[in-house]
Structure formats: structure tokens, C-alpha cells
Amino acid sequence: MHTLLTSGLFFGLASAAVIKKDDYGYHNNWHVEVGVRPYYLVDNMDAGPLKTQLQKCENGPFKTSDFVVSHRGAPLQFPEHSVEGLHAARRMGAGILECDVAFTKDKKLVCRHAQCDLHTTTNILSKPSLASKCTRPFTPSKDGKPADAFCCTSDITEAEFKTLCAKMDGFNPNATTVAQYMDGTPYFRTDLYSTCGTLMTLNDYIKIVDSFGLKFTPELKTPQVKMPFDGYTQQQYAQDMIDAFKKAGIDPSRVYAQSFLPDDIFYWLEKEPKFGKQAVYLDERVDTPEGYANATASIPSLAKKGVRIMAPAFFALTKVDANKNIVPSEYAIAVKKAGMEIITWSFDRSGWLNKGGDYYYQYVASVINNDGDMYTVLDVLAKQVKIKAIFTDWPATVTYYASCFGL
């Protein structure tokens, strides 16, 4: 018995020695897992060659892929831009992970989808000392007017930001109390993993993703306060984001800096060309018919200025032809003709598709009839539009497809 106990103790100690954990207590020994959602979607597809091929891939192997970009972590089920969401995305095979970059009152850089979303993505309203600092503190719904609050990263310091918990993005406009206001998670998401998500600074994010050995896509968020902010200029903001990666010793080839503002892209092309050459122009001009036409016409001139990667929402990359087939759009064709690449957004960010989908499926709604058609659209994006990568709110869904087709 003594021998068995001694051997068992030795084995246990040896095993513990090789199971390393990061600063947040996560094990570093891991493999890609896709869970049940991809199988649900494949089963839901209409019969056809694509469904048959995807079914053949049910046993993997599933691999990390740069085709899969984690959009805000894994916000279909985890609070966006939380440490927990980032780790979930890594386990689901995302090869590139995102941090939307905003600045605090003391001009430190943190991960938030928008500069002024703390009232819907964190518990700031439940902390009176911080809630009172919001640009617009909470006011309840009354006399037909919706409840209101407006809390920005620039309202508080980095240290104060770090005391907050991340929650699922959402709010209740009919709320008469703070607790009711914070309870507004969309119907197709969940609060199961949202007890107190861990917020990240840009430096935290860089350290975590670097420890994964994966790639980065930081987005410089368009400020929601007047710039310069207390002397802080847009150019300094853009430079500070790049400087964080340089200070951490990150090779520029691992970084896909993003912005909706073309001047940010041009700044990086001029001042930080090693980063600028793969900067991503997030193109929201396509949201209106007139904007779509203007955006399509502008592609050649953007290419001449050095922009190499365009990134519209994926609805703008496809259309339905006369035979009711989903095919590349005029915008997609123009980008490829100009020799540019396409990264698009955001998969798994819609509710049920049995009624034709929403914003992301607006140009193909007439031929969408079930959730499985997500893969029908993705297949066109990958094989006909030939996108470089796609942002997703649940990386496992795209990882399944990417692994199946060797992307």
C-alpha cells in the first residue's frame, strides 16, 4: 500500500507539473472544440452537396484557422471583450482575436465595443460611485419615455474601469430601476456565463493573445466624444494603439489594425507602414443604396492609396441572381478586381433565419429559409467571393466549416 500511495503521489505531482496555467487560472493545454452548434446547423440545412460534405466532416479533426476571426470574443454566449470570452474563442479555433480599443479618462487604452457602451455591457450602473460619473446617469422610463443612461470609458479612469464586471450587451428600455435596465439580453443569447466577466485593457489583451501564439485584430473605435479630448488627438490615439504592440515586441505581421475612419488607415500607412500594409478598412458606407454605389466606385482609388484589405458587413458581398442563386456582389467583384483582400463581419450575430434573416442577410433574404442557410451563405463567401477571413460571434461555427474545407 505504501508503494502504491508513493507511486500515486509521484504521478500526481508529475502531472501537476506539466499542467501550466495562465495569469487568469486557465490551463494552457488545450485542443480545438466545436461543441454542438455546428452539427445543429448542418442538420438544419436543406439536402444537397454542401450538406453532404459538411456531414462527412463531423469527426474533424478541427484546427485553429486564421479564416476564423473572434468578434469581441465569443459574445453569442459570453460577455463581449471579456477574458472568459477570449479563452472560449481560442478553444473554438479562432486564429485571430479582436479587441475594440477605446480610451479612458486618463487616456489609457481598454477593450470595449464602443467608447460609450458601459451602461449596456458592464455593471457600472449598479456602482453608485461610478454611475454618478456617467455622461448621463440612469433615468427611469416614465410617461412613455424610455429609460436612459450613457456611460463612457472616458468618464472613468483605467483603475475604475478594471473594477467593473462585463455582462451581456443589452438593456430594457421600459425599466424603472437599474436592475430592470440591466436585464435586457437579446432572446437568442444567454446569461449563463455572465456572472462577472473579466474586463481587459489593451495590454491585457495583447498578453493573453500572445500567450496563445495567435494573431491580433485591434479596432480603433470611432470616438463618441469631441476630439481632441483633454488635449488627446485622434492621431495620438491611433499611434498609442500601435505603440502598445511595438512595446510588447509583437511582429507587425500578426496584427490587423482596423478602423471605420479612413484617415486612421492612411495615418498608419504613412507613419507605421509595417502595420499599415495590412490595416483593415471597415466599410460601413454600404449600409445605404447610395453609399453602396459610392463605396463600390471608390475601390480603385483606395487601392491606389495603399489600402489592401476592405471589410464591409457580409451582406454587401453577395446578391441573388435571376436564377435565385447567391452570387458575389458588384462590391465584392470590384474589390477583387483591384487586387485587394476582403475580411467581413459578423457571423452568428443574427437570430433565427427561418424568416429570411436580418441586417446580415438583407440582400439574400428571398432565398433564406432556415438556420442551416448560414452555411449556404458562408460557402459562397469562401468559394466565390474568396474572402480572407470572417468575424464571428461563435467561432466554432466557422471553425467547423474552415476545417472541413482546409481553410
Side-chain angles (χ1 to χ4, degrees):
M1 177 64 73
H2 179 270
T3 302
L4 289 173
L5 287 172
T6 303
S7 299
L9 179 61
F10 176 80
F11 178 77
L13 290 173
S15 298
V18 299
I19 299 176
K20 297 180 180 180
K21 295 184 178 181
D22 65 16
D23 292 345
Y24 297 91
Y26 287 85
H27 294 304
N28 285 329
N29 295 336
W30 58 278
H31 62 277
V32 173
E33 304 169 0
V34 297
V36 298
R37 180 162 175 76
Y39 301 95
Y40 163 77
L41 295 176
V42 173
D43 289 344
N44 192 244
M45 294 177 69
D46 296 331
L50 179 59
K51 180 174 183 174
T52 299
Q53 181 58 47
L54 288 170
Q55 287 175 326
K56 291 179 180 178
C57 297
E58 63 181 359
N59 294 319
F62 302 111
K63 301 177 181 179
T64 298
S65 170
D66 288 353
F67 184 78
V68 186
V69 185
S70 159
H71 183 236
R72 314 185 201 176
L76 188 64
Q77 295 195 37
F78 289 84
E80 61 188 40
H81 292 311
S82 64
V83 171
E84 294 79 8
L86 210 60
H87 279 268
R90 175 198 68 165
R91 290 192 177 278
M92 288 189 281
I96 305 173
L97 299 103
E98 183 185 42
C99 165
D100 291 325
V101 179
F103 58 84
T104 60
K105 186 176 182 179
D106 48 350
K107 306 178 184 68
K108 303 296 184 180
L109 302 185
V110 297
C111 298
R112 271 309 78 205
H113 172 61
Q115 183 179 17
C116 298
D117 72 1
L118 297 183
H119 50 291
T120 65
T121 66
T122 76
N123 65 339
I124 190 171
L125 295 178
S126 68
K127 292 177 169 285
S129 62
L130 297 182
S132 64
K133 298 182 180 183
C134 290
T135 298
R136 294 198 309 270
F138 172 75
T139 55
S141 173
K142 185 178 181 181
D143 299 329
K145 294 183 179 180
D148 182 63
F150 198 72
C151 305
C152 307
T153 55
S154 51
D155 291 332
I156 59 176
T157 66
E158 179 189 59
E160 291 170 329
F161 174 85
K162 292 280 283 183
T163 68
L164 300 175
C165 292
K167 74 175 190 70
M168 295 301 285
D169 187 14
F171 71 100
N172 177 4
N174 300 313
T176 58
T177 67
V178 165
Q180 291 175 353
Y181 184 85
M182 293 172 61
D183 185 16
T185 300
Y187 65 87
F188 58 91
R189 297 182 185 157
T190 178
D191 288 313
L192 284 174
Y193 310 112
S194 188
T195 51
C196 182
T198 308
L199 298 184
M200 297 180 291
T201 65
L202 176 60
N203 289 332
D204 292 334
Y205 155 81
I206 292 173
K207 184 176 181 180
I208 293 169
V209 177
D210 192 35
S211 76
F212 297 163
L214 300 177
K215 295 179 181 178
F216 311 80
T217 184
E219 179 189 334
L220 196 74
K221 296 307 300 186
T222 302
Q224 292 180 273
V225 296
K226 185 178 180 180
M227 298 293 280
F229 172 79
D230 189 26
Y232 194 50
T233 66
Q234 183 71 23
Q235 292 76 18
Q236 188 61 56
Y237 178 31
Q239 187 63 53
D240 285 351
M241 189 182 86
I242 299 300
D243 284 348
F245 288 91
K246 294 169 69 175
K247 184 176 181 180
I250 304 299
D251 191 286
S253 66
R254 295 173 64 194
V255 183
Y256 294 88
Q258 317 167 59
S259 180
F260 279 100
L261 301 179
D263 283 349
D264 292 337
I265 307 296
F266 300 147
Y267 175 86
W268 292 324
L269 284 168
E270 179 184 357
K271 301 295 185 180
E272 295 289 348
K274 291 182 179 180
F275 289 88
K277 69 180 182 180
Q278 62 181 30
V280 180
Y281 179 12
L282 299 164
D283 194 355
E284 62 184 345
R285 299 173 298 168
V286 297
D287 279 359
T288 66
E290 181 181 3
Y292 176 93
N294 290 337
T296 302
S298 74
I299 297 300
S301 64
L302 288 170
K304 288 181 180 179
K305 292 179 180 179
V307 179
R308 297 186 181 182
I309 304 176
M310 298 299 296
F314 69 77
F315 80 83
L317 298 173
T318 59
K319 66 178 184 178
V320 177
D321 69 10
N323 297 317
K324 295 186 177 181
N325 295 315
I326 301 175
V327 297
S329 69
E330 293 82 2
Y331 181 101
I333 293 170
V335 173
K336 286 300 180 179
K337 185 177 180 180
M340 304 162 84
E341 294 182 308
I342 299 172
I343 295 177
T344 191
W345 44 276
S346 293
F347 213 60
D348 252 318
R349 194 160 182 80
S350 302
W352 303 304
L353 303 190
N354 61 337
K355 295 183 180 180
D358 56 10
Y359 172 80
Y360 291 100
Y361 298 88
Q362 57 186 287
Y363 284 4
V364 297
S366 63
V367 295
I368 294 293
N369 60 47
N370 56 50
D371 283 356
D373 278 328
M374 291 173 59
Y375 278 136
T376 304
V377 173
L378 182 60
D379 194 57
V380 174
L381 291 170
K383 295 177 182 176
Q384 297 185 48
V385 177
K386 299 186 183 303
I387 61 172
K388 180 182 181 68
I390 186 168
F391 284 86
T392 172
D393 281 22
W394 199 244
T397 307
V398 181
T399 295
Y400 187 102
Y401 179 92
S403 294
C404 190
F405 290 102
L407 300 175

